[in-house]
Amino acid sequence: KRDLRTQPLGKHLDISGTIFDALGKPIPNTIVEIWHLSPNSKKYRHRSRLLTNKKGMYRFITDIPNKENGKSPRIFYKVRCN
């Protein structure tokens, strides 16, 4: 799922990136898991598992994350190569 927004209008983030190996070569078909606190909530309801394309790229759109007390908003990532 690439669109994690709960409402199509309003502020959101459009995030993209590329996964590289240690030699700087893009890694295709890599699993990128993402999660963050949902807006106005203390629960991690915004979650997805993406697969990089042939060029090692991924992209998703999401609401702006809520923040934990004393911390800035953040998005968590876990990358797994096949």
Side-chain angles (χ1 to χ4, degrees):
K1 179 176 171 182
R2 296 193 185 282
D3 190 343
L4 304 177
R5 294 176 294 175
T6 55
Q7 297 180 354
L9 302 176
K11 294 182 179 182
H12 62 271
L13 300 171
D14 189 347
I15 298 175
S16 61
T18 305
I19 305 299
F20 297 97
D21 66 14
L23 300 175
K25 180 180 171 187
I27 307 173
N29 302 314
T30 298
I31 297 170
V32 179
E33 294 182 56
I34 54 147
W35 66 97
H36 69 77
L37 287 175
S38 299
N40 303 314
S41 174
K42 297 295 181 191
K43 296 187 179 184
Y44 291 93
R45 292 195 174 118
H46 282 63
R47 300 176 163 272
S48 188
R49 184 177 293 175
L50 310 170
L51 192 63
T52 60
N53 65 15
K54 289 188 266 185
K55 296 179 181 179
M57 299 171 66
Y58 67 91
R59 181 175 178 224
F60 65 96
I61 189 168
T62 189
D63 297 317
I64 294 176
N66 197 9
K67 62 181 182 177
E68 296 179 60
N69 290 335
K71 297 181 180 179
S72 59
R74 58 191 70 202
I75 297 175
F76 297 93
Y77 296 84
K78 180 178 181 181
V79 177
R80 296 188 318 196
C81 298
N82 295 331

